Amino acid sequence: MTEKRMSRWYFGGLASCGAACCTHPLDLVKVHLQTQQEVKRRMVGMAVHVVRNDGVLALYSGLSASLCRQITYSLTRFAIYETVRDMMGNTGKGPMPFYQKVLLGAFGGFTGGFVGTPSDLVNVSYKHAVDGLYRVFREEGVRRLFSGASMASGRGALVTVGQLACYDQAKQLVLGTGVMGDNILTHFLSSFIAGGCATFLCQPLDVLKTRLMNSKGEYTGVMHCLRETAKLGPLAFYKGLVPAGIRLVPHTVLTFVFLEQLKKYFGIRIIS
């Protein structure tokens, strides 16, 4: 008899919250960089600027909204992806083909992106997540809470394909070599690859989404924002790519390391 552990549906949300606490300062700096109209500061310069003006704790401004986002967005996409994957894996046909992982990741990410849109919206300019959600709902209504939902859902689909589908595939390939076992080094390597894939896939949409959510009415919609950004050149879509990678890759690594540890010690025991 062999024993393995399966993830519980909420483990992805918990792991993502742990990772968010570690990477939030980098995320904050990335948003500041993307909202510059002209390139005046790089990553380190922007971090120093924030600390000088507002203090060290300013790097954790908006942490409650970030955690709220993980509890909605990440918990939803992980729950969908891992639940369906494990159900299909129990049929005895072996691992899912990569294209099925991509489709499942896209669906889970799209759904998670929609669910997480309100918490994404209040990630800036409010005292904390509850304050932001309440004020937006009271002053502008439910529709405003889901402003930018199409962009957030599209980005969610791309990130989830890059993270979850690519992580599963990378881990499967690494274990298939027989050189490495199912240990933390394998989890690190696989999640590092997944983080790179996710960063490359989602950066253009990430730039557009940030511009739209911080706009004061200068854009009439997604296509208008796309055209205006395109006027700045193709590299404008990858503005902040390095800090995005520096934030997203560690976030991905930490998420999957935490997730694998949660699964190892608190997962559902399956004896076969």
Side-chain angles (χ1 to χ4, degrees), residues 24-94:
H24 186 74
L26 292 171
D27 200 19
L28 186 88
V29 171
K30 183 196 73 170
V31 171
H32 278 293
L33 284 170
Q34 288 178 341
T35 51
Q36 290 183 110
Q37 290 302 311
E38 296 178 14
V39 179
K40 297 178 181 178
R41 297 183 179 89
R42 299 295 179 184
M43 185 183 171
V44 175
M46 183 62 76
V48 171
H49 173 73
V50 171
V51 172
R52 276 182 182 166
N53 284 7
D54 305 307
V56 176
L57 290 179
L59 291 173
Y60 280 92
S61 173
L63 179 61
S64 63
S66 181
L67 293 177
C68 180
R69 181 173 184 270
Q70 300 305 328
I71 291 168
T72 52
Y73 160 68
S74 284
L75 189 145
T76 301
R77 66 194 184 113
F78 269 96
I80 292 172
Y81 182 88
E82 298 219 308
T83 301
V84 175
R85 181 201 62 193
D86 291 342
M87 285 173 59
M88 294 182 71
N90 287 336
T91 59
K93 296 180 180 179

Side-chain angles (χ1 to χ4, degrees), residues 238-249:
Y238 284 91
K239 187 178 182 181
L241 178 65
V242 172
I246 291 173
R247 200 281 307 182
L248 189 55
V249 173

Side-chain angles (χ1 to χ4, degrees), residues 182-194:
D182 192 358
N183 53 41
I184 197 166
L185 185 59
T186 297
H187 306 156
F188 175 85
L189 178 60
S190 303
S191 56
F192 190 88
I193 294 168

Side-chain angles (χ1 to χ4, degrees), residues 146-166:
F146 287 93
S147 172
S150 59
M151 185 66 64
S153 297
R155 181 186 181 276
L158 291 174
V159 172
T160 307
V161 167
Q163 287 183 327
L164 277 70
C166 290

Side-chain angles (χ1 to χ4, degrees), residues 5-261:
R5 297 271 184 163
M6 287 177 62
S7 181
R8 298 180 189 272
W9 66 271
Y10 53 86
F11 278 2
L14 292 179
S16 296
C17 284
C21 289
C22 300
T23 62
H24 186 74
L26 292 171
D27 200 19
L28 186 88
V29 171
K30 183 196 73 170
V31 171
H32 278 293
L33 284 170
Q34 288 178 341
T35 51
Q36 290 183 110
Q37 290 302 311
E38 296 178 14
V39 179
K40 297 178 181 178
R41 297 183 179 89
R42 299 295 179 184
M43 185 183 171
V44 175
M46 183 62 76
V48 171
H49 173 73
V50 171
V51 172
R52 276 182 182 166
N53 284 7
D54 305 307
V56 176
L57 290 179
L59 291 173
Y60 280 92
S61 173
L63 179 61
S64 63
S66 181
L67 293 177
C68 180
R69 181 173 184 270
Q70 300 305 328
I71 291 168
T72 52
Y73 160 68
S74 284
L75 189 145
T76 301
R77 66 194 184 113
F78 269 96
I80 292 172
Y81 182 88
E82 298 219 308
T83 301
V84 175
R85 181 201 62 193
D86 291 342
M87 285 173 59
M88 294 182 71
N90 287 336
T91 59
K93 296 180 180 179
M96 291 171 61
F98 182 57
Y99 80 91
Q100 289 184 2
K101 294 174 186 173
V102 169
L103 292 174
L104 179 57
F107 174 73
F110 188 89
T111 307
F114 180 80
V115 172
T117 301
S119 55
D120 215 14
L121 180 68
V122 300
N123 208 18
V124 290
S125 305
Y126 297 98
K127 287 188 292 186
H128 50 75
V130 177
D131 171 65
L133 292 170
Y134 174 72
R135 282 175 55 189
V136 173
F137 174 74
R138 186 186 64 185
E139 296 167 14
E140 302 179 69
V142 175
R143 181 173 291 184
R144 175 59 179 163
L145 282 174
F146 287 93
S147 172
S150 59
M151 185 66 64
S153 297
R155 181 186 181 276
L158 291 174
V159 172
T160 307
V161 167
Q163 287 183 327
L164 277 70
C166 290
Y167 174 79
D168 269 358
Q169 192 66 21
K171 183 181 174 184
Q172 182 182 324
L173 292 172
V174 170
L175 292 175
T177 63
V179 176
M180 298 169 67
D182 192 358
N183 53 41
I184 197 166
L185 185 59
T186 297
H187 306 156
F188 175 85
L189 178 60
S190 303
S191 56
F192 190 88
I193 294 168
C197 293
T199 304
F200 181 79
L201 285 173
C202 77
Q203 187 61 14
L205 269 181
D206 204 16
V207 170
L208 292 177
K209 182 185 68 122
T210 304
R211 283 176 172 268
L212 280 169
M213 286 194 167
N214 288 279
S215 70
K216 303 297 183 185
E218 60 263 37
Y219 301 122
T220 57
V222 176
M223 293 308 297
H224 183 218
C225 181
L226 178 67
R227 288 195 298 270
E228 290 299 309
T229 307
K231 290 177 183 177
L232 301 174
L235 291 180
F237 291 103
Y238 284 91
K239 187 178 182 181
L241 178 65
V242 172
I246 291 173
R247 200 281 307 182
L248 189 55
V249 173
H251 184 274
T252 305
V253 170
L254 289 167
T255 297
F256 284 108
V257 168
F258 291 159
L259 178 63
E260 294 284 2
Q261 294 305 303

